[in-house]
Amino acid sequence: MPQLGHAQLSAAKKRLGCTEEERHLDSVVLTERVGSCVIVTMNRPEALNSFTVDMHRELHDAIESAGRDPQVRSIILTGAGRGFCAGQDLAEATDPDGPIGDLGEHLEQTYNRLVRTIRRLRVPVIAAVNGVAAGAGANIALVCDIILAGRSAKFVQSFSKISLVPDSGGTWTLPRLVGPHRARALTLLGDALSAEQAKEFGLVWQVTEDDGLREAALVIAERLAALPPEGLMLTKQALDTAMETTFDRQLDIERDLQSRAGQSADNAEAVSAFLEKRKPDFSAKGTKA
Ligand code: LHQ
């Protein structure tokens, strides 16, 4: 009998009349709205949330649709169970009847699309790394804007152990985050970095107790929601180009983005509120009157 993927199973259950809640429990990606934040949870705990084609599709759709919602001000990416994400599901990758052929093509259609989408999002993405993050799972965390880690989290560039090249942007992000020689040792040896070491190396913003991770991520989400969104979006854009360009070109980019930021109603409101010693109200939209 042919095996159904999660997406096909969900569609079949829909036809068979399951409730929305029953279908949701089946999904390999869960989404939960908390205020203006969407928590996106990779949900294959039995395989440490490793990536199948189905999980790629659901994760990309969940993140893209949260990013398109103008009411959403941040996204938290996390994993169900004891892992964050163990990278590619190696059983699916090696299944001769499975969906994966050439790995380069697979990367382009799945991991590259995902990390490009995360990187280009209007809103900040917080990675709440709740356990082991291995292979592409580690590198997907590294493209997020703010990385929090539970005390039991680990970051492993496990590619060398299976004779693969670090992907999902890891060869770009890692040397920039930890320096070229640490990046070489981490990727060639494949040693696991503990949450504390990852913080020391500059990968992680904050380490929390495991049971305090969700709360800590929501506190960051709440702080981001209190800030003017356009300024955050433009700051993300400025930092994205900064690593690829010259100092002079980056000054031009800052000038152009600051010109846009300076014309925003949020900037006018924030400065007036500061001068008038009151709390700002960022509900008004558009450019300065
Ligand atoms: C897994 C996996 C997994 C399936 C744990 N797959 N089941 C891109 C393009 C295309 C192809 C290739 O790859 C890529 C990018 C990549 O991501 S390559 C890197 C792929 N990932 C890995 O090599 C990591 C493999 N996993 C591990 O080394 C360990 O599981 C880690 C270090 C993550 C965790 O170790 P433990 O805490 O000791 O857990 P465990 O090994 O006992 O795993 C628990 C279960 O999860 C186990 O299943 P079981 O039925 O025995 O309980 C594992 O088989 C399963 N699992 N990772 N990637």
Side-chain angles (χ1 to χ4, degrees):
M1 198 170 136
Q3 289 284 307
L4 291 184
H6 266 84
Q8 289 164 302
L9 201 59
S10 260
K13 289 198 168 180
K14 193 172 185 176
R15 286 194 298 275
L16 291 170
C18 292
T19 64
E20 190 57 47
E21 198 178 339
E22 284 166 337
R23 274 201 304 282
H24 196 62
L25 289 175
D26 254 356
S27 304
V28 288
V29 171
L30 306 175
T31 56
E32 181 190 354
R33 181 76 177 252
V34 181
S36 61
C37 174
V38 175
I39 304 179
V40 178
T41 304
M42 294 172 276
N43 188 35
R44 300 187 66 240
E46 69 287 356
L48 299 180
N49 307 314
S50 52
F51 272 100
T52 56
V53 168
D54 281 347
M55 193 171 99
H56 265 296
R57 189 185 312 113
E58 289 192 24
L59 184 62
H60 186 268
D61 289 356
I63 289 178
E64 199 177 47
S65 95
R68 268 201 312 264
D69 182 340
Q71 305 304 320
V72 170
R73 303 289 298 280
S74 66
I75 295 172
I76 294 174
L77 177 62
T78 193
R82 73 172 177 92
F84 175 74
C85 173
Q88 171 63 40
D89 183 307
L90 295 174
E92 188 179 79
T94 51
D95 177 356
D97 302 320
I100 301 177
D102 177 71
L103 298 192
E105 261 171 46
H106 181 60
L107 269 188
E108 194 52 30
Q109 286 162 14
T110 55
Y111 296 92
N112 287 0
R113 187 168 87 117
L114 177 66
V115 295
R116 283 191 173 110
T117 296
I118 293 176
R119 207 67 186 185
R120 287 176 190 157
L121 278 183
R122 170 188 64 82
V123 296
V125 182
I126 303 159
V129 182
N130 53 300
V132 66
N139 291 341
I140 285 163
L142 299 187
V143 297
C144 294
D145 296 290
I146 297 177
I147 307 177
L148 306 189
R151 206 161 290 286
S152 68
K154 282 189 291 189
F155 295 79
V156 200
Q157 295 291 324
S158 48
F159 304 91
S160 62
K161 293 183 183 154
I162 53 170
S163 198
L164 287 182
V165 176
D167 58 28
S168 305
T171 57
W172 193 93
T173 48
L174 205 60
R176 286 169 167 81
L177 289 165
V178 302
H181 278 90
R182 276 175 167 171
R184 274 172 199 257
L186 286 171
T187 51
L188 295 174
L189 298 172
D191 287 356
L193 272 186
S194 68
E196 284 297 346
Q197 286 170 314
K199 181 159 188 279
E200 213 176 287
F201 276 26
L203 295 179
V204 164
W205 174 247
Q206 187 185 350
V207 177
T208 71
E209 293 310 320
D210 287 333
D211 60 6
L213 180 63
R214 177 187 156 99
E215 211 39 53
L218 284 169
V219 167
I220 302 270
E222 212 173 302
R223 289 181 53 195
L224 290 168
L227 291 165
E230 195 177 348
L232 297 184
M233 181 189 77
L234 296 174
T235 300
K236 274 173 54 118
Q237 281 179 25
L239 290 170
D240 274 350
T241 54
M243 295 296 192
E244 295 159 58
T245 192
T246 61
F247 183 67
D248 267 337
R249 175 70 193 120
Q250 188 63 15
L251 289 181
D252 294 345
I253 289 168
E254 287 178 4
R255 176 201 61 212
D256 295 346
L257 293 173
Q258 200 70 298
S259 167
R260 273 175 69 187
Q263 289 169 45
S264 70
D266 283 350
N267 168 251
E269 168 60 10
V271 175
S272 303
F274 173 77
L275 295 174
E276 292 160 21
K277 300 190 188 306
R278 61 173 172 80
K279 266 192 123 175
D281 170 10
F282 296 121
S283 51
K285 294 268 173 299
T287 51
K288 232 164 16 186

